[in-house]
Amino acid sequence: MRPVVAVVAASLIPLFLVFGGSTDKYIDSLPGEKHLTHILQLTSIPGAENAEAYFSFDQKKLVFQSTRPPYECDQIFTMNLDGSDVKLVSTGKGRTTCGYFLPGDRRILYSSTHEGNPACPPKADMSHGYVWALYKDFDMYSANADGSDLKHLTSTPGYDAEATVSPDGKHIVFTSVRDGDLELYSMNIDGTNVKRLTHEKGYDGGAFYSADSQQIVYRAHHPTDPKDLEKYERLLAEGLIEPVSLEIMVMNADGSNKRQVTHNGKANFAPYFHPNGKQIIFASNMNDPMGRDFDLYLINVDGSGLERITFNPTFDGFPMFNKDGTKLVFCSNRHGSKTGETNVFIADWKP
């Protein structure tokens, strides 16, 4: 599940031409972006929304979701690290989200609504404010990397999505409403041995494992004010969530030792561990009073040492380091050819 703020943010005028499925030039980092060099734009379809790009286990490919012609809503694709060889993995029906390679890179995990309804589900009703839709038909599937041999991993009523895989290849962590609230669960790589990890009232989601597979970082909103709690429960009953306040959390892989990393009351999301296990990169609107500009930040696991990484005045999000921390993949509105266009970028990471 990704924020639609990327869709409404303004885009910058492109500073270069893109040929084919990949770029022939590096893009200059913006002032202040001292950690990013040799930035490449990997997607370039005008007006498309490309997001949640994640490395394969062998670090040679990316899986990502994209709304692009001829599809009316997000589908799952793979591509090489230079943006070439783009291939559809999902069925082309319904709405999909959260693609992730399974160990060995022969199969891919993702969530889809296609079985409940082959048409694109309606977008979230913004008369409720800025909300995300929790499509009740989202179930988790795995398929061969070419999209064949589609198999169910979950079939519980309601929302099952936001799944990622532990680096040791043994477990999947995901978000589900199966027990009446938005909680995190883990299961074996084959879908067996499902365990609930969180129990606090509110939303827990967007989880990733640390490099040693011993920790989980995630985003959470646990309302305590009675009015906020009532609003959360009312929206949840309508299949919606209002992500205006999300904090970054860390816990052990078994759900123990939960601790809060951020305390700014803003929309912090898409956290990912640095391979050193001591830092977390995440997206946040903490520096924009209007709440529209999301940038990437780095923070120590204990909440100290906050550092801003990107300075693009629109949207940067969904960061992921490669295994040795030398490259960073992220998604951004920068250099879009149309307003709201979101693309995948890869950069060398300079410590």
Side-chain angles (χ1 to χ4, degrees):
M1 181 173 59
R2 62 187 175 89
V4 294
V5 67
V7 178
V8 300
S11 297
L12 299 178
I13 298 174
L15 302 181
F16 62 94
L17 295 176
V18 177
F19 300 92
S22 63
T23 57
D24 69 335
K25 292 182 179 180
Y26 289 121
I27 302 167
D28 289 336
S29 57
L30 298 174
E33 296 181 342
K34 63 183 182 181
H35 291 288
L36 305 180
T37 64
H38 301 108
I39 303 173
L40 286 175
Q41 182 175 335
L42 304 185
T43 56
S44 58
I45 297 174
E49 300 166 33
N50 304 279
E52 297 202 50
Y54 304 128
F55 285 103
S56 58
F57 274 72
D58 67 6
Q59 309 285 277
K60 295 180 180 180
K61 286 186 174 289
L62 295 168
V63 61
F64 67 106
Q65 64 191 54
S66 178
T67 297
R68 58 175 63 193
Y71 309 106
E72 296 182 4
C73 54
D74 282 326
Q75 297 296 320
I76 303 297
F77 298 83
T78 59
M79 64 180 167
N80 293 332
L81 298 190
D82 63 357
S84 64
D85 194 29
V86 176
K87 293 181 179 178
L88 176 70
V89 176
S90 55
T91 64
K93 300 176 181 179
R95 181 182 294 275
T96 67
T97 191
C98 306
Y100 217 84
F101 280 95
L102 290 169
D105 299 325
R106 293 186 296 273
R107 295 186 67 81
I108 290 171
L109 166 72
Y110 66 93
S111 291
S112 177
T113 66
H114 73 272
E115 196 162 315
N117 190 333
C120 284
K123 294 183 178 180
D125 181 2
M126 293 299 173
S127 68
H128 295 280
Y130 175 57
V131 291
W132 291 344
L134 304 167
Y135 296 112
K136 64 180 181 179
D137 291 329
F138 262 137
D139 277 320
M140 290 161 50
Y141 300 83
S142 73
N144 288 335
D146 63 2
S148 64
D149 191 31
L150 187 67
K151 294 181 179 180
H152 251 118
L153 275 181
T154 63
S155 57
T156 56
Y159 181 81
D160 287 318
E162 304 176 38
T164 62
V165 181
S166 60
D168 64 10
K170 295 180 179 180
H171 295 98
I172 295 168
V173 63
F174 64 101
T175 299
S176 177
V177 74
R178 63 186 61 197
D179 290 325
D181 196 19
L182 285 163
E183 306 289 357
L184 286 173
Y185 298 78
S186 69
M187 63 184 176
N188 293 343
I189 206 73
D190 62 359
T192 61
N193 194 29
V194 177
K195 295 182 179 179
R196 183 170 169 178
L197 302 179
T198 57
H199 297 82
E200 297 79 11
K201 190 68 176 182
Y203 169 58
D204 298 285
F208 288 87
Y209 287 92
S210 57
D212 63 5
S213 303
Q214 299 302 303
Q215 303 282 311
I216 291 173
V217 63
Y218 60 105
R219 61 194 180 204
H221 173 57
H222 300 147
T224 56
D225 181 272
K227 291 184 179 179
D228 292 340
L229 183 58
E230 185 278 330
K231 184 176 184 180
Y232 168 78
E233 292 178 332
R234 174 170 47 83
L235 288 175
L236 182 61
E238 298 182 36
L240 300 168
I241 181 174
E242 185 180 41
V244 295
S245 178
L246 296 168
E247 301 291 358
I248 304 302
M249 304 282 293
V250 172
M251 64 181 169
N252 293 342
D254 64 1
S256 63
N257 193 25
K258 295 180 178 67
R259 59 265 196 207
Q260 188 170 330
V261 179
T262 60
H263 298 80
N264 56 38
K266 300 296 185 178
N268 308 285
F269 77 103
Y272 193 83
F273 276 104
H274 189 282
N276 63 21
K278 300 176 182 179
Q279 296 171 296
I280 296 164
I281 192 169
F282 65 101
S284 178
N285 61 354
M286 69 175 78
N287 278 314
D288 181 10
M290 299 298 294
R292 292 179 175 271
D293 177 18
F294 283 80
D295 281 292
L296 301 182
Y297 296 82
L298 196 68
I299 194 170
N300 294 332
V301 174
D302 65 2
S304 65
L306 180 69
E307 180 183 4
R308 186 171 174 176
I309 301 302
T310 62
F311 290 81
N312 167 39
T314 54
F315 174 85
D316 294 310
F318 307 110
M320 182 185 190
F321 287 105
N322 66 347
K323 288 182 180 179
D324 63 6
T326 59
K327 292 187 179 295
L328 182 76
V329 164
F330 65 102
C331 302
S332 178
N333 286 158
R334 66 181 68 197
H335 296 285
S337 60
K338 291 185 176 181
T339 298
E341 181 179 322
T342 311
N343 285 298
V344 180
F345 296 79
I346 190 168
D348 289 343
W349 179 263
K350 185 178 179 182

